[in-house]
Amino acid sequence: MENALIQELAQKYGTPLFIYDLSVILKRIQYLTDHLHPCVKLFYSLKANPNPTLVYEIHKRGIQLEVCSLGEYRTAVESGGEPRKLMYLGPGKTEDEIIKALDSGVGYYIVESLDELYTVIKRSAATGKHVGIGLRVNPAQTIQGSKLKMGGVPSPFGIDEGVLDQAIQAVKLHANVSIKGLHVYYGTRILKSDVVIKNTESVLTIAERKMRENRIKLEYLGIGGGLGIPYHSDEQELDIKKVIQGVNERLNSFILHNGPIQIIMELGRYLVADAGVYISSVIRTKTSRGIRYVMVDGGTHHFAAAGGLGSLLKKNFSIDAIVGETRGTVRQMLAGPLCTPDDILGRNVELPVLSKGDLIRINRAGAYGLTASPAMFLSHRLPREILVWQGNDSIIRNYDEYNQPVIRPVSL
């Protein structure tokens, strides 16, 4: 995204801002759908960025939707998602969620524990309606290379592989419930192609073994996703060509030996992170005990990940300055407006000497930005969210839209 456009939008809409370039998202979708095996169905994980306009535009391109709450479910349906094509998962579903999801006919309902399974069985018996489910598996094996491991370790997610047979046999005792698929997710933020390929291979091996041992036929298999984005200077881009080649080869072999099956790949940050930037204006500067501080009008209440939330090591995102003339550079602390010492968006960042009115841009801000931040902290107003597309720009979330903003389509 060109700095000139960012300056124009900052002047037009004020700061702080999240700005998303729809063309970046659409190019990534097109590349994946053109090159992945035809049996692969892409799902967009709303938790990465649930803005309804983004969800609407992504779904329009044939990407199905994965939700983890009734709020996300509502966004998905209002964005055109049909319940029979939605995936609903999460380890802590309430009974109310379970009932509403099952009664609405969610097509990919993923069970994450034996207790949840028994609740589903009880509901199907009470209504007399048939329920098709997927079982999420917490695999016995751990594969290294994920920034956040979600499989192969003690976890609230999924049914441990060691008791999976118990779950399958329990389902077989009830005519109104059937197993349609298995779902395995080893982890997220994976930046090595061989790790993604090994994950896929492991999922296929588990599925093949469980189908044989339990004499079941699966309609779908969730291989996770977890494709990573390099946020920090010491990280490398994921080689997506190698990923696709390796995954496609494994899928061809699996189908040859086991017959046709739908493969589900869930993507969140990989679709939207690169499309977004977070823009903030410099309010003032100060020097404290030899350290230069730059106070900006945005902060970790909008973009907690940039401040290091959830990371063991607080490393800077890619940050640029937008200034009007050439200046010397210096290390600076980028501090937000919150009354907490944790409100730091960048630590000792080498940037041009900043002054009041200059802009900073934090890159790769399209995923886990506002949605993963404590926006209510200190009661500051929300940042606006802006979508740009083919020379046009529009607000897709305004300052006061704390709940679900309306869908504002920008494409034909």
Side-chain angles (χ1 to χ4, degrees):
M1 201 176 299
E2 296 293 334
N3 284 344
L5 174 61
I6 290 172
Q7 288 176 305
E8 179 185 326
L9 295 177
Q11 182 69 28
K12 180 177 181 179
Y13 295 109
T15 58
L17 290 174
F18 280 99
I19 307 173
Y20 312 114
D21 185 344
L22 181 59
S23 67
V24 174
I25 299 172
L26 301 188
K27 286 176 183 176
R28 185 146 290 183
I29 289 173
Q30 191 66 54
Y31 184 83
L32 292 171
T33 54
D34 284 349
H35 294 89
L36 278 167
H37 195 287
C39 73
V40 176
K41 188 66 182 174
L42 296 179
F43 277 68
Y44 174 62
S45 299
L46 265 70
K47 57 182 170 287
N49 192 326
N51 186 286
T53 301
L54 281 181
V55 175
Y56 171 84
E57 296 292 345
I58 289 169
H59 180 60
K60 268 182 61 175
R61 274 67 187 191
I63 308 300
Q64 301 305 331
L65 304 174
E66 174 220 299
V67 302
C68 300
S69 70
L70 291 178
E72 288 189 347
Y73 173 86
R74 184 175 70 251
T75 297
V77 171
E78 292 181 358
S79 300
E82 301 174 59
R84 65 184 180 88
K85 294 182 179 180
L86 298 182
M87 178 183 293
Y88 201 119
L89 49 72
K93 305 182 197 75
T94 65
E95 189 159 343
D96 183 49
E97 281 184 273
I98 293 171
I99 289 171
K100 288 180 179 178
L102 295 179
D103 289 357
S104 70
V106 166
Y108 301 86
Y109 181 89
I110 308 300
V111 172
E112 305 230 16
S113 68
L114 291 176
D115 181 74
E116 182 184 349
L117 176 60
Y118 299 142
T119 303
V120 170
I121 290 171
K122 180 181 177 181
R123 181 62 183 174
S124 71
T127 62
K129 291 173 60 177
H130 179 266
V131 176
I133 60 171
L135 299 178
R136 179 165 178 172
V137 185
N138 180 7
Q141 179 184 8
T142 299
I143 295 179
Q144 300 299 318
S146 169
K147 300 295 183 182
L148 179 61
K149 292 181 176 63
M150 300 172 71
V153 295
S155 173
F157 300 102
I159 300 168
D160 287 354
E161 189 178 344
V163 296
L164 184 61
D165 290 345
Q166 180 182 340
I168 294 173
Q169 294 307 314
V171 172
K172 284 188 171 184
L173 296 175
H174 299 274
N176 280 352
V177 182
S178 62
I179 298 172
K180 299 294 186 181
L182 296 180
H183 180 282
V184 186
Y185 201 111
Y186 275 98
T188 188
R189 275 258 290 137
I190 301 170
L191 294 171
K192 295 182 178 179
S193 58
D194 63 321
V195 174
V196 179
I197 295 165
K198 286 178 181 177
N199 284 358
T200 302
E201 195 171 65
S202 179
V203 175
L204 297 175
T205 299
I206 292 171
E208 192 169 45
R209 183 171 66 249
K210 293 306 173 183
M211 285 194 294
R212 182 182 66 253
E213 292 174 350
N214 294 277
R215 297 182 180 181
I216 58 174
K217 179 65 177 176
L218 300 176
E219 295 180 9
Y220 66 85
L221 182 59
I223 61 172
L227 306 186
I229 295 293
Y231 288 110
H232 311 298
S233 59
D234 59 348
E235 295 177 336
Q236 299 295 317
E237 291 273 1
L238 176 67
D239 189 335
I240 193 62
K241 290 184 180 180
K242 285 187 178 180
V243 168
I244 291 173
Q245 180 182 359
V247 168
N248 287 353
E249 288 174 356
R250 272 65 175 181
L251 294 181
N252 277 326
S253 177
F254 181 87
I255 291 170
L256 180 64
H257 292 94
N258 299 281
I261 192 169
Q262 184 182 67
I263 299 295
I264 294 170
M265 180 179 281
E266 303 149 76
L267 300 172
R269 83 177 76 239
Y270 192 75
L271 289 185
V272 298
D274 280 327
V277 293
Y278 179 62
I279 307 302
S280 185
S281 297
V282 176
I283 300 171
R284 63 182 56 88
T285 63
K286 63 178 285 188
T287 299
S288 175
R289 302 184 188 278
I291 303 297
R292 179 177 172 80
Y293 281 86
V294 177
M295 318 305 295
V296 297
D297 61 2
T300 54
H301 55 319
H302 298 161
F303 200 180
L309 182 69
S311 300
L312 292 176
L313 299 175
K314 295 186 176 183
K315 297 190 290 186
N316 293 326
F317 274 46
S318 168
I319 302 175
D320 297 316
I322 303 177
V323 298
E325 68 282 332
T326 303
R327 303 179 194 171
T329 63
V330 66
R331 292 192 178 277
Q332 300 160 87
M333 301 285 283
L334 305 180
L338 305 181
C339 291
T340 167
D342 290 331
D343 191 21
I344 302 293
L345 288 172
R347 294 168 175 80
N348 296 312
V349 189
E350 185 82 19
L351 291 173
V353 177
L354 294 167
S355 59
K356 183 176 181 178
D358 292 332
L359 301 177
I360 65 162
R361 58 177 283 173
I362 303 179
N363 301 305
R364 292 182 158 159
Y368 299 103
L370 186 59
T371 185
S373 303
M376 299 294 288
F377 187 47
L378 266 70
S379 299
H380 284 269
R381 67 182 184 181
L382 293 175
R384 281 174 163 163
E385 292 181 288
I386 308 299
L387 191 60
V388 297
W389 165 248
Q390 294 185 338
N392 298 311
D393 54 82
S394 60
I395 297 175
I396 59 172
R397 185 191 298 270
N398 219 329
Y399 293 132
D400 57 350
E401 293 182 303
Y402 281 85
N403 292 314
Q404 185 179 7
V406 299
I407 297 171
R408 302 175 173 98
V410 298
S411 64
L412 299 177

